[in-house]
Amino acid sequence: MPRKSLLILFFLSGVSSLIHEICWVRQATLTFGVSIYAYSAVLTAYMGGMAIGGYWIGRHADRAARPLRLFAWLQIGLAMMGLLVPFALSGLSVLYAAAVRHLAPGLTVLTLLRLSMSLLVLTPPAICIGAAFPVMSRAYARDSGQVGRDLGELYAWNTLGSVLGCLLTAVFLIRFLGLRETVLLAATINLLTAALAWRLAHPAQEPLPARPRPGPATKRPDTPRPAPPAERWRPATHFILWAYAISGFAALGYEVVWARLIALHTVGAIYSFSIMLTVFLSGLVVGSLIATRWARKGQASLVHFGGLELAIGLLAILVLFVFAQLPKLRLGHFFPQYTLTAEIIFESILSFITLFPVTVLIGAVFPIVSSLYTSERIEQVGLKVAQFTALNTVGSILGSLLTGFVLIPLLSLQRTTLALAALNLGIGSVALWIFVPPATRLRLAAAGVLVISIVAALFLPPARYLGYWESEASSLIFYKEGIETTVAVFRAELDNPKFSTVNGRVEVPTDVLSMRAFYLLGHLPPLLRPDARNSLMLSFGNGIATGALSTHRIPFIEVVELSPEMIAAAQVYAEENRNILQYPELRIHVEDARNFLLQTDRQYDIITTDATHPSNSCSWTLFTVEFYRQVRQHLAPDGVFLQWVPLHSMAIADYLSILRTFQSVFPNATLWYTGGTHTLLLATPEPLTESALEAALQAVYDNSAVLEDL
């Protein structure tokens, strides 16, 4: 049987797995929300399922008479359960909403609820994904003495499939096929892979039995390769196991930090993170292919492992200098005009020059660890792979969670990178100083890397990341890094006195046209509903629209904001937002809009949404039919709903799609143009009449604030 056929099977498995993952995460946001807590719960369930599957099924893979048959069953199980996930998540929406509304949980309980429901739905198919690697390893690894090489090849081909699946799904499949059709395509790939695996598992085409291979020191097949002394090698294998878990912690921690840093230089669209992930995975592919050469015939050693870890730590620090230079690169340097294709290519370039070198080194670690930990013994390859991949996955989960929720808020982005680099440097130093026989040159090299790392850390650029607004640093009046967002406020030119950036994107400019839109967002609803007793503002921003709303003396105003850093920045907008944070009737909730609506039974006379651009990864859900239906349920019988919709960076078809979606839920809709690229969509209980507009106009003259603003 051609062994390359198994590589193709595992490549297809990688394609389908990433398609499933992106689709599941995308739909889970419609159930659990777009907050970092909701996303982390979904990702933890997915990766936790992979760890369980890799260890639980993988440790029995060595006893499988036909591992390809077991691999085929895993693919069939993934196809069937993958098709059910979208329906299960849709069904959970009702259950989740009822539980949230009944329990009225705090953030901790709400996160646990999201996690438990995510585990219920995503763990079973994720188990199939996680188990695939140790099972296929048992089928593919045939030659004792070259297990590391074989596992490195498998890892590279599977990750290459993940690269293709990630890129296709993010840029093309969901956009042109739709979510459920994309899931159906992934399931079809699984079934095709299962059929081919079943065919190859025919007795006449079973893989050849394992056979010993000569070691590097001799060509005689009956001469065994010298093995290291057991008393010295046993602690080394334990060290490799736990060191690889710590390395996984650092790798996912870097991904979290790098995603935040790259976001400062992109448009923050839904595809932006997928582009970064594609480059990240591509680096793993190249690194694993390079390292498989070292793994041949037992050439991989702790020297390679320790050297790679030292290099990863040093390069992770040096990359911070590269990030500091990114503001000098602009899309216009590569393309004469802005297009979606140009933006995608430009973001790929930024990701490549920052992430690719480090991820090549991270990818090279896997074949080395495979070669060292399996001890080149094929009889237990399934068990060994199950052990070190499961522990590495657990380390990755902890790295993602602790970096995002603890390290970044506590240390900042730059110091978090230094802390993660210290882990790699520490692992590499221990490997070379303790577990490698004394070698002066190696120890001098390790000491040199540590000295260079310390010097580089001492001369790092300022621990402040402003994206393309670095040139405005002299006018910076507010800066704060949080769990999910980096918020900065600048005092700029006379025609735009002040503006905020959220992860590098301008969100609250104070130019004349933008202020007109903010003011109308706040004033128009109460002018049409002067007897309003309560109001809900979704996406508080820096509070300018809410400040305008407060001039109508509405007894109760609730606001929802995803970024607590934006609420803190509202203090420096006190002049523009009428010191809204001191308004006695104001209630602030840090949550995403859809989840807040799930948690409350209250109906509102006024609901206003001032979300960021629809292409933004944290705002697209607020322009869906599901969200509009939620708003309708919480709108009083004679209530009004107002939403900001931009004209800039929008295809005409996409803009019209939003209008049609809005009107499908709110038939009495009117479109208001405030100038520039700002429009507002207004929903009223009855068609807007001339008399209603005349009454609103008359009310303008009764409120001096409205006259001043408009």
Side-chain angles (χ1 to χ4, degrees):
M1 176 190 62
R3 297 176 75 230
K4 286 187 178 179
S5 300
L6 302 187
L7 295 177
I8 294 173
L9 289 181
F10 213 37
F11 171 83
L12 293 174
S13 174
V15 173
S16 65
S17 297
L18 255 290
I19 294 176
H20 280 303
E21 179 186 356
I22 292 176
C23 289
W24 294 341
V25 171
R26 181 79 176 271
Q27 182 156 9
T29 59
L30 291 174
T31 300
F32 303 117
V34 297
S35 71
I36 187 64
Y37 301 98
Y39 175 79
S40 297
V42 172
L43 188 63
T44 300
Y46 177 82
M47 296 185 67
M50 289 183 61
I52 293 170
Y55 184 74
W56 176 40
I57 298 178
R59 64 184 182 143
H60 300 296
D62 297 312
R63 297 198 294 268
R66 296 182 184 176
L68 280 182
R69 287 277 174 93
L70 179 54
F71 177 78
W73 280 116
L74 290 173
Q75 293 298 301
I76 294 171
L78 177 57
M80 297 298 100
M81 288 184 285
L83 288 173
L84 293 176
V85 166
F87 298 99
L89 288 172
S90 297
L92 273 183
S93 297
V94 179
L95 180 62
Y96 175 69
V100 169
R101 197 162 296 171
H102 177 72
L103 297 174
L107 179 59
T108 302
V109 176
L110 182 61
T111 301
L112 290 175
L113 181 62
R114 289 163 170 159
L115 178 60
S116 61
M117 289 189 170
S118 299
L119 287 169
L120 181 66
V121 175
L122 298 183
T123 298
I127 286 175
C128 296
I129 295 175
F133 189 79
V135 171
M136 183 58 84
S137 299
R138 186 64 187 88
Y140 185 75
R142 189 185 62 183
D143 301 328
S144 294
Q146 294 197 13
V147 175
R149 180 207 65 180
D150 292 340
L151 297 187
E153 289 179 347
L154 275 179
Y155 177 78
W157 278 75
N158 184 256
T159 308
L160 184 61
S162 300
V163 171
L164 181 61
C166 180
L167 191 60
L168 287 177
T169 307
V171 180
F172 299 107
L173 294 180
I174 293 179
R175 182 177 182 184
F176 294 108
L177 295 183
L179 195 65
R180 292 189 177 180
E181 290 77 6
T182 301
V183 171
L184 180 60
L185 174 62
T188 302
I189 296 174
N190 291 132
L191 294 176
L192 174 63
T193 306
L196 293 174
W198 197 273
R199 171 77 174 169
L200 293 173
H202 190 275
Q205 296 178 311
E206 275 290 301
L208 295 176
R211 63 175 185 267
R213 293 290 299 271
T218 178
K219 294 184 179 180
R220 295 175 55 190
D222 56 342
T223 302
R225 182 168 58 92
E231 65 273 11
R232 180 168 60 82
W233 186 245
R234 188 174 294 109
T237 55
H238 288 299
F239 166 75
I240 292 169
L241 180 66
W242 290 101
Y244 190 49
I246 296 172
S247 182
F249 179 100
L252 260 290
Y254 290 136
E255 184 178 335
V256 173
V257 174
W258 293 337
R260 287 283 302 277
L261 293 176
I262 288 179
L264 295 166
H265 303 88
T266 68
V267 297
I270 297 168
Y271 57 78
S272 296
F273 179 78
S274 297
I275 290 174
M276 190 212 73
L277 182 59
T278 298
V279 174
F280 190 96
L281 294 172
S282 299
L284 299 185
V285 172
V286 174
S288 61
L289 289 175
I290 293 173
T292 53
R293 299 174 64 89
W294 298 338
R296 288 176 180 172
K297 298 182 180 181
Q299 292 176 2
S301 68
L302 272 169
V303 174
H304 292 110
F305 178 74
L308 282 172
E309 291 296 325
L310 285 171
I312 290 169
L314 174 59
L315 202 53
I317 295 173
L318 296 180
V319 164
L320 292 173
F321 290 91
V322 180
F323 275 112
Q325 299 302 314
L326 284 189
K328 297 179 181 179
L329 292 179
R330 299 296 179 110
L331 187 144
H333 297 161
F334 300 90
F335 302 95
Q337 61 183 6
Y338 177 89
T339 64
L340 177 60
T341 302
E343 179 64 44
I344 291 174
I345 295 174
F346 178 65
E347 292 186 13
S348 300
I349 293 172
L350 295 182
S351 298
F352 184 84
I353 63 178
T354 52
L355 308 187
F356 191 75
V358 189
T359 54
V360 167
L361 298 178
I362 294 174
V365 172
F366 179 84
I368 304 302
V369 172
S370 301
S371 180
L372 294 174
Y373 188 69
T374 57
S375 301
E376 299 296 327
R377 293 181 59 83
I378 197 172
E379 295 82 3
Q380 294 183 321
V381 65
L383 174 62
K384 294 290 188 179
V385 170
Q387 289 174 341
F388 77 77
T389 55
L391 200 57
N392 177 263
T393 304
V394 172
S396 300
I397 295 172
L398 294 176
S400 175
L401 294 177
L402 292 181
T403 300
F405 293 114
V406 179
L407 295 182
I408 292 176
L410 186 66
L411 301 178
S412 80
L413 290 166
Q414 189 179 98
R415 293 190 184 94
T416 296
T417 302
L418 295 178
L420 295 172
L423 293 178
N424 294 115
L425 294 170
I427 293 170
S429 299
V430 171
L432 294 182
W433 283 70
I434 297 179
F435 291 103
V436 173
T440 304
R441 286 181 299 176
L442 286 177
R443 292 187 173 181
L444 286 175
V449 172
L450 291 176
V451 170
I452 295 173
S453 300
I454 293 172
V455 172
L458 292 175
F459 289 94
L460 281 172
R464 179 191 63 216
Y465 296 94
L466 305 176
Y468 291 124
W469 303 101
E470 189 67 43
S471 59
E472 304 288 343
S474 60
S475 60
L476 183 69
I477 56 176
F478 178 91
Y479 181 84
K480 189 171 185 180
E481 297 174 356
I483 293 175
E484 192 171 11
T485 55
T486 298
V487 175
V489 181
F490 303 86
R491 193 179 299 279
E493 306 89 6
L494 293 177
D495 59 344
N496 186 17
K498 197 179 296 178
F499 66 92
S500 292
T501 63
V502 180
N503 291 338
R505 294 177 297 280
V506 176
E507 297 292 359
V508 189
T510 55
D511 60 277
V512 173
L513 293 178
S514 297
M515 290 297 288
R516 183 187 297 170
F518 290 137
Y519 286 145
L520 196 60
L521 272 168
H523 288 307
L524 183 58
L527 289 174
L528 294 172
R529 184 69 197 277
D531 57 342
R533 303 297 299 170
N534 59 19
S535 177
L536 174 64
M537 174 67 72
L538 301 173
S539 298
F540 174 74
N542 292 141
I544 298 175
T546 308
L549 183 67
S550 69
T551 65
H552 297 266
R553 310 310 303 172
I554 298 175
F556 183 72
I557 300 177
E558 284 189 283
V559 298
V560 178
E561 174 56 48
L562 189 61
S563 168
E565 293 73 39
M566 283 295 278
I567 297 173
Q571 298 175 11
V572 300
Y573 277 86
E575 181 181 352
E576 291 82 3
N577 63 30
R578 292 181 166 86
N579 204 20
I580 186 60
L581 293 181
Q582 306 303 318
Y583 188 68
E585 286 78 26
L586 185 71
R587 300 292 181 272
I588 300 175
H589 305 274
V590 179
E591 180 60 276
D592 71 86
R594 294 188 71 251
N595 261 274
F596 175 79
L597 292 178
L598 288 177
Q599 297 173 44
T600 182
D601 288 319
R602 188 187 299 273
Q603 286 194 319
Y604 298 90
D605 298 323
I606 294 171
I607 299 180
T608 307
T609 304
D610 185 21
T612 56
H613 200 281
S615 66
N616 196 296
S617 58
C618 65
S619 295
W620 65 272
T621 59
L622 303 187
F623 297 87
T624 61
V625 68
E626 291 86 356
F627 172 70
Y628 293 144
R629 287 171 179 166
Q630 278 188 297
V631 170
R632 185 178 60 188
Q633 292 172 0
H634 290 83
L635 204 58
D638 53 352
V640 296
F641 171 48
L642 187 63
Q643 182 178 44
W644 173 79
V645 183
L647 289 169
H648 62 275
S649 303
M650 288 274 285
I652 294 176
D654 293 336
Y655 182 82
L656 294 177
S657 177
I658 291 175
L659 301 190
R660 286 193 296 269
T661 304
F662 188 93
Q663 195 169 29
S664 70
V665 179
F666 301 104
N668 300 318
T670 53
L671 181 65
W672 297 64
Y673 176 62
T674 67
T677 61
H678 304 288
T679 64
L680 307 179
L681 273 172
L682 176 68
T684 52
E686 300 293 336
L688 200 57
T689 63
E690 185 176 347
S691 60
L693 289 174
E694 289 177 352
L697 185 59
Q698 183 60 43
V700 168
Y701 296 99
D702 298 330
N703 188 325
S704 59
V706 181
L707 284 172
E708 178 185 347
D709 292 342
L710 301 182

